[in-house]
Amino acid sequence: MTSIYLDRLDRVRTAMTEQGVDALLLSVGHDLPYLTGYQAMPLERLTLLVVPRDGDATMLIPRLEAPRVDAQPGVFELQPWNETDDPTELAASLIPGASKIAVGDQMWARFLVELLPHLPGAEYRRAVDVVGPLRMVKDQAEIDALAAAGAAVDRIAADLQSGAIPLVGRTEADVSAELSARIIAEGHQKVNFAIVAAGENAASPHHHAGSRVIREREIVLCDFGGTMNGYCSDITRCVFTGDVAADAPDIAEAYAVLHEAQSAAVAAATVGTPCQDIDRAARQVIADAGYGEYFVHRTGHGIGLEEHEDPYIVEGNATPLAAGHAFSVEPGIYVPDRWGMRLEDIVVATDDGPRPTNTVDHGLHDVVA
């Protein structure tokens, strides 16, 4: 892995040179493990990777946290600091004369405020402008990790569609807990979310599963994912607790539109296509069918080390897709106080066309009690 981190740091320094950035400062967040393999805990004690454009990288870390770091020779020097040290002063001493500094989005404001007096006159900008474009393009190992995580949640979704996960008579929270347990059982180290929304609750895209009991003859939206070997999964499938064609023809009709919209957006996700055009492809189908006002969010988000990262599949993002971009395609239709639905796959742009990492059936399955 050391060679991977060295290559990533080399590319970061190239980007720093192109953008005139003198130093990069990364604390909590996923840029740090991307460059070093270490995930910092969000503590009141500062962990900070200091990357001068023309010098060696140093990881400042509280001494009591140092044993958790796996050494990466040549990637960074580990510099533990003691309880009586000022870590921001130490950071400033590593980048004397730096005038343009890029700071990670997740760095706590308190540490940045404490750093300012040590580097008077410096200009600050977001590190995502430096590291983000590199992280957006996944290498083959990253794509394989996303595919493995996607296959794992596909198996859970297949059980949901087959009725192997009972729904009727259970609370949303109970089903959410089962999905979470299955995510871990399928090889994930962490559950990131397990949305279960029944009936009218499904009209809230980020509904929090609660005490609502799932009933017969209603739609149930399940959106779940986790982190597996560092990379994230994310899938949404809906089922109907009855015979949707007979019990809820309005839901069946809307779902057919949703299915068409999602398929159109996936097909549009070719290398060179602006991200906003994928959003437009889904939105046009939904709007033409008369449901446009009920599609209330972007079509997708990037995914990798984080559940949500660049590139975002949204109007106004003209970034052209590149091979290796990974993102969700998840249009939705949400009718307030009645029902909601969403259909989501993770897709990787490749030179051979869009590659979904989720392949479980896309239909609205009827399940029985």
Side-chain angles (χ1 to χ4, degrees), residues 149-212:
V153 292
D154 268 9
R155 291 189 287 271
I156 301 170
D159 283 345
L160 177 72
Q161 293 175 336
S162 72
I165 300 175
L167 298 175
V168 174
R170 300 175 71 186
T171 66
E172 295 170 336
D174 187 32
V175 176
S176 176
E178 179 170 345
L179 292 177
S180 296
R182 286 171 175 260
I183 288 169
I184 297 300
E186 284 287 354
H188 289 67
Q189 287 75 45
K190 175 184 168 187
V191 176
N192 294 332
F193 48 86
I195 296 171
V196 177
E200 72 286 350
N201 285 344
S204 173
H206 283 173
H207 173 69
H208 181 73
S211 60
R212 162 72 151 79

Side-chain angles (χ1 to χ4, degrees), residues 106-129:
Q106 288 78 26
M107 183 173 173
W108 288 10
R110 59 165 288 191
F111 297 130
L112 181 56
V113 169
E114 291 170 2
L115 178 68
L116 296 178
H118 298 301
L119 294 166
E123 174 189 338
Y124 292 85
R125 60 182 301 177
R126 297 175 64 199
V128 68
D129 295 332

Side-chain angles (χ1 to χ4, degrees), residues 27 36 152 184 261 301 338 345:
S27 183
T36 68
I184 297 300
H301 55 81
R338 292 181 59 197
D345 293 328

Side-chain angles (χ1 to χ4, degrees), residues 125-331:
R125 60 182 301 177
R126 297 175 64 199
V128 68
D129 295 332
V130 178
V131 187
L134 306 180
R135 280 183 52 190
M136 271 200 294
V137 179
K138 273 61 179 180
D139 62 26
Q140 190 58 52
E142 292 178 293
I143 293 170
D144 291 345
L146 287 169
V153 292
D154 268 9
R155 291 189 287 271
I156 301 170
D159 283 345
L160 177 72
Q161 293 175 336
S162 72
I165 300 175
L167 298 175
V168 174
R170 300 175 71 186
T171 66
E172 295 170 336
D174 187 32
V175 176
S176 176
E178 179 170 345
L179 292 177
S180 296
R182 286 171 175 260
I183 288 169
I184 297 300
E186 284 287 354
H188 289 67
Q189 287 75 45
K190 175 184 168 187
V191 176
N192 294 332
F193 48 86
I195 296 171
V196 177
E200 72 286 350
N201 285 344
S204 173
H206 283 173
H207 173 69
H208 181 73
S211 60
R212 162 72 151 79
V213 174
I214 299 170
R215 301 187 291 261
E216 294 181 349
R217 295 183 293 280
E218 64 182 3
I219 196 167
V220 182
L221 182 157
C222 297
D223 180 349
F224 51 94
T227 301
M228 181 173 170
N229 299 323
Y231 286 80
C232 295
S233 61
D234 189 356
I235 188 172
T236 307
R237 292 295 186 268
C238 296
V239 296
F240 190 82
T241 57
D243 181 342
V244 68
D247 297 331
D250 58 331
I251 291 177
E253 176 186 284
Y255 194 87
V257 172
L258 179 68
H259 190 178
E260 181 184 351
Q262 204 263 354
S263 297
V266 171
T270 55
V271 169
T273 299
C275 289
Q276 64 183 3
D277 285 4
I278 305 165
D279 181 87
R280 291 171 180 175
R283 207 165 296 278
Q284 188 65 55
V285 173
I286 291 173
D288 287 349
Y291 297 100
E293 66 180 295
Y294 303 121
F295 183 9
V296 298
H297 55 72
R298 65 195 174 207
T299 293
H301 55 81
I303 193 168
L305 292 169
E306 294 179 87
E307 310 97 291
H308 289 184
E309 59 183 49
D310 290 321
Y312 289 95
I313 310 303
V314 64
E315 181 66 33
N317 184 5
T319 302
L321 287 183
H325 283 176
F327 46 90
S328 69
V329 177
E330 50 177 308

